[in-house]
Amino acid sequence: VIKCKAAVAWEAGKPLSVEEVEVAPPKAHEVRIKIVATALCHTDTYTLSGADPEGCFPVILGHEGAGIVESVGEGVTKVKKGDTVIPLYIPQCGECKFCKNPKTNLCQKIRITQGKGVMPDGTSRFTCKGKQIYHFMGTSTFSEYTVVADISVAKIDAAAPLDKVCLLGCGISTGYGAAVNTAKVEPGSTCAVFGLGGVGLAVIMGCKIAGASRIIGIDINKDKYAKAKEFGATECISPQDSKKPIQEVLVEMTDGGVDYSFECIGNVGVMRAALEACHKGWGVSVIVGVAASGQEISTRPFQLVTGRTWKGTAFGGWKSVDNVPKLVTEYMSKKIKVDEFVTHTLPFDKINEAFELMHSGK
């Protein structure tokens, strides 16, 4: 058993508490990882807020991490002690019907136990003050050591800087893949990206790499426009600058609507606007943001009858074990940006300050 620091969420709506936790050794087909760096994502906040129907407490959150394999359980063959790895919240077992189908990246092998906050055998590897602590998204990267299933880990280039590539565990991969895998943006196309946070910037990057000629960034926070343009946005607009609904503004700006739109906020009203900003006959809108539990999307069916397509994406459609190492290689060869997404680097015990920075849009 390893004793180490972890940021424990004891209950919903309260700040995280940095505690000493005990991390049990890995069982069969499990891997224990020393987490070197972790990033924050709005999904962590969503669960911490209490709005997540799958949220269990007390829990160690975090799902964008990178580290080194400390030890492996019986039967683990794909990684060994000392390997550099990224934990995966969408695993890839290679055996279930989802993994065998090229149309999806949603492995279902451990979905039920992962959603309940436990390892595949139904138990937890974390304890703190004599209490069992739940796992989160199969990763729990807000701990100096974590245990994951062996199908939830990607071995990456040992030369990669872990304080940067940890971001490929969720946000950057999700946005980039939404553009290149889910939407399949084509050269010369016009795109609109709603929400210019980390995921939105990654979508812009993907649209640019795919050869889009016009990329419109949409956000009410104008402080984000300069960064969006660095990533490839050709122009940025705020919905608050017009009396007309944003979809009407976009349809006018683009002679009938955009070829591709992306919702990167998790707001069902914006999801509708993103669809309705698409061009009749061929426009495709991709939902990337996660809306709160129980919310529903709506539009007039005629929007779809007249040729628009509504799609969604999880982790950008990447089959994780196969593609995360390739994404790291693309970063190392400078095909994709990663460093530019990092705004602040804080010591682990200041994790609550990091959440405050995220909430304030900084």
Side-chain angles (χ1 to χ4, degrees):
V1 175
I2 288 177
K3 288 186 176 178
C4 68
K5 279 197 300 189
V8 178
W10 288 107
E11 56 184 303
K14 295 280 167 68
L16 303 180
S17 176
V18 176
E19 307 275 6
E20 183 180 81
V21 298
E22 291 90 43
V23 185
K27 294 188 182 178
H29 295 288
E30 295 177 3
V31 178
R32 186 160 60 180
I33 302 167
K34 178 180 183 175
I35 297 289
V36 175
T38 185
L40 310 190
C41 172
H42 279 281
T43 310
D44 302 309
T45 314
Y46 169 61
T47 299
L48 186 58
S49 74
D52 182 354
E54 277 195 344
C56 325
F57 295 89
V59 64
I60 295 171
L61 299 170
H63 63 285
E64 287 187 348
I68 310 290
V69 174
E70 178 274 334
S71 58
V72 299
E74 193 186 330
V76 175
T77 56
K78 291 194 175 146
V79 293
K80 63 185 187 302
K81 181 177 177 171
D83 282 349
T84 305
V85 293
I86 289 176
L88 308 167
Y89 72 90
I90 293 181
Q92 186 187 349
C93 72
E95 294 162 3
C96 70
K97 76 183 206 185
F98 286 77
C99 280
K100 286 179 173 169
N101 191 322
K103 294 177 180 176
T104 185
N105 64 326
L106 297 174
C107 171
Q108 296 295 289
K109 180 135 186 211
I110 59 172
R111 180 72 200 94
I112 291 164
T113 49
Q114 181 172 314
K116 289 178 178 167
V118 289
M119 294 300 288
D121 72 348
T123 62
S124 168
R125 301 291 162 269
F126 296 119
T127 47
C128 180
K129 298 178 177 170
K131 288 196 175 112
Q132 173 184 284
I133 309 291
Y134 287 109
H135 294 249
F136 177 67
M137 289 175 75
T139 53
S140 289
T141 61
F142 292 172
S143 175
E144 291 179 322
Y145 287 85
T146 190
V147 179
V148 304
D150 63 353
I151 59 171
S152 302
V153 63
K155 181 181 171 181
I156 62 161
D157 183 343
L162 300 187
D163 61 332
K164 306 293 193 296
V165 296
C166 60
L167 290 166
L168 293 169
C170 178
I172 297 177
S173 306
T174 298
Y176 176 43
V180 300
N181 297 331
T182 310
K184 296 185 169 58
V185 171
E186 294 153 327
S189 51
T190 298
C191 303
V193 181
F194 291 78
L196 301 176
V199 174
L201 294 175
V203 171
I204 290 171
M205 176 175 76
C207 292
K208 185 180 179 184
I209 288 170
S213 59
R214 194 172 177 192
I215 304 167
I216 305 163
I218 300 124
D219 202 299
I220 55 175
N221 182 351
K222 294 185 177 180
D223 295 342
K224 298 194 168 186
Y225 293 179
K227 190 69 128 171
K229 286 176 180 169
E230 263 178 59
F231 277 86
T234 52
E235 62 220 279
C236 295
I237 58 172
S238 168
Q240 294 175 338
D241 285 353
S242 171
K243 291 196 169 71
K244 290 180 186 169
I246 188 67
Q247 53 266 57
E248 286 181 27
V249 173
L250 285 160
V251 166
E252 282 174 16
M253 280 173 68
T254 57
D255 184 29
V258 299
D259 302 310
Y260 301 97
S261 71
F262 302 85
E263 198 280 352
C264 307
I265 302 161
N267 178 312
V268 293
V270 178
M271 289 172 191
R272 177 173 189 160
L275 176 79
E276 294 176 0
C278 282
H279 202 288
K280 183 194 260 185
W282 64 77
V284 174
S285 187
V286 181
I287 294 173
V288 192
V290 177
S293 167
Q295 293 192 324
E296 297 183 351
I297 48 174
S298 62
T299 189
R300 292 198 174 93
F302 197 66
Q303 292 282 338
L304 302 174
V305 170
T306 50
R308 294 170 193 82
T309 303
W310 224 344
K311 300 179 94 168
T313 191
F315 197 54
W318 302 107
K319 287 200 184 264
S320 58
V321 173
D322 291 345
N323 287 294
V324 167
K326 291 177 186 169
L327 290 166
V328 171
T329 303
E330 285 193 4
Y331 158 64
M332 300 291 275
S333 64
K334 301 206 167 20
K335 183 186 171 185
I336 61 171
K337 296 181 196 287
V338 174
D339 298 11
E340 293 82 353
F341 286 87
V342 180
T343 54
H344 298 77
T345 304
L346 294 149
F348 185 47
D349 53 11
K350 292 198 174 167
I351 191 161
N352 288 311
E353 284 181 36
F355 273 101
E356 285 164 24
L357 285 164
M358 187 163 72
H359 287 309
S360 64
K362 293 178 181 166

